Amino acid sequence: MLTPGGDGPVESLADLTIVGAAEELRAGRVKAVELVEAVLSRARATEPHVNAYAHLDCDAALAAARDADRKWSDGQISGPLHGIPIGIKDLIATRGMPTEAGSDVLAGNVPNVDAAVVRRLRAAGAIITGKHRTHEFGIGMNAPPTRNPWDLTRYPGGSTAGGGVSVAVGSSLAAIGTDGGGSIRKPAAINGVVGLKPTFGMVDADGLVPGGTSVDHIGWLTRSVADAALLHDVLSDQPGSDRPVRAARPRIGCPAYFFDGIEEGIAEVVQRAVESLAERGAEVVLMDIPGMSETPRAHTLLVSWESARLHREWMDACPQRYHPASLRALQAGSRVADADLQWARDQRRRVRIAIDDAMDEHDLDALCTPTLALAPVPMAEMDPERLLPEYCRLTLPFNLSGHPAASVNCGTSPLGLPVGLQIVGRRYCEPTVLRLAAMTELPAMRPQPLPGVAEDQAAIV
């Protein structure tokens, strides 16, 4: 029976990791068409329940798979992703495929060129399955909603919700997304998969529908740390430097701010993960980083101002085409005072320095924190203006600072829902983050069987 990178049996090709699928393709045991058909079949089975895709391009994906098989036969291997089906967030431009940013404002928009990250994927042999749903422009809410496959009534994460859900259920082997305040790491934690946000600027953002330009990172969600590392090698502008992790006793900091106010069920799971690192030889340092409590306000001011500036013409021309919550957020950004904006910019610089200084002072290889402070709430109770800041509280400081950060599955809460451990490294030290993530990684979690859909869930928005 096929194995996901050697880790154990799987039911279907759609459950393979990238590393496992690439091994099967290289060995000739699987054709690219078979792999893509399995993923598309999983998509057709799960989409009525989870709504992860805004646009699923079966014909183009199968045509690309047939072409990949012809190249295999001729000995023409494009790269390490040859024949691998991957989905793209609907904020990232794709040639000949809709890129609508989850908004009526861009309805019908079909770019004639790929974003830089998509060009790299194609050059490495990847097959694009379609576009994953996003919150409107990455700032509003997801409508119609992507659903949490662990509990279809609960928050699925955002704004790369479609990508996180797709990887979890097997309708893509990886998802390329964006992270402006936790938008990759949140759905990674909620869906039991791996999410990596590289150092700010490490991945070319050309072709990204702009939002908070000073905090937006391109990153990805995968089923394993090894897959995340492979995508980093393919998509990053540079491989990243490394502060070698001390093999015998790596030093990991646990800042107090990130452990305050955490739901008990999440705190217990994360604590066990940290203890498991200590059992494997890590030295855990309890410490803190000054100024973290100021980061939510600074982040809100920057993102709202930058987004409002970029959307000004559209807001003037067609305000009725925005979701009301998105429009309110953008209008608030138009009212940010110059003094507040300057404070936020200064705070961003102070946060970056504070994190660097704290890691230097305690001689740390990385920081470990919970990814989220609370479990996903029922969507019927989801008040974005009240709850989204709390869901982003532990992730957004590293968007301001630009440090690389990953979320890795570390267990399940008493509710039976996945819990994420966030690992943060020094800037440009993604290899360190990934090495430590591999030390604590649990197998990717896929809900099986997918929960049924209750009749009254059709009305959830």
Side-chain angles (χ1 to χ4, degrees), residues 298-310:
H299 181 272
T300 297
L301 289 168
L302 281 172
V303 171
S304 61
W305 182 85
E306 290 172 353
S307 298
R309 179 173 58 89
L310 293 166

Side-chain angles (χ1 to χ4, degrees), residues 173 350 410:
L173 297 198
R350 288 191 290 267
C410 66

Side-chain angles (χ1 to χ4, degrees), residues 141 145-148 151-156 376-384 386-387 391 456-461:
M141 283 302 291
T146 297
R147 300 179 191 275
N148 184 327
D151 181 339
L152 296 170
T153 69
R154 291 182 182 269
Y155 177 55
V377 299
M379 284 299 290
E381 301 173 12
M382 185 62 186
D383 177 353
R386 180 176 62 87
L387 288 175
Y391 277 115
D456 61 353
Q457 290 175 2
I460 296 175
V461 176

Side-chain angles (χ1 to χ4, degrees), residues 298-379:
H299 181 272
T300 297
L301 289 168
L302 281 172
V303 171
S304 61
W305 182 85
E306 290 172 353
S307 298
R309 179 173 58 89
L310 293 166
H311 282 257
R312 186 168 296 126
E313 289 187 12
W314 287 337
M315 285 196 294
D316 290 343
C318 54
Q320 73 282 358
R321 300 182 73 175
Y322 287 90
H323 188 282
S326 304
L327 186 61
R328 286 196 300 272
L330 290 166
Q331 290 171 336
S334 301
R335 298 190 292 270
V336 172
D338 290 345
D340 288 336
L341 178 62
Q342 187 58 52
W343 174 87
R345 288 170 170 165
D346 291 343
Q347 184 63 23
R348 181 178 58 203
R349 178 181 56 82
R350 288 191 290 267
V351 167
R352 183 173 62 246
I353 293 170
I355 293 171
D356 286 341
D357 287 351
M359 295 185 77
D360 285 343
E361 177 185 351
H362 298 282
D363 191 24
L364 300 176
D365 294 298
L367 305 173
C368 282
T369 81
T371 306
L372 301 177
L374 67 162
V377 299
M379 284 299 290

Side-chain angles (χ1 to χ4, degrees), residues 93-108:
T94 42
R95 182 186 71 250
M97 189 180 296
T99 300
E100 299 176 328
S103 178
D104 285 343
V105 176
L106 290 183

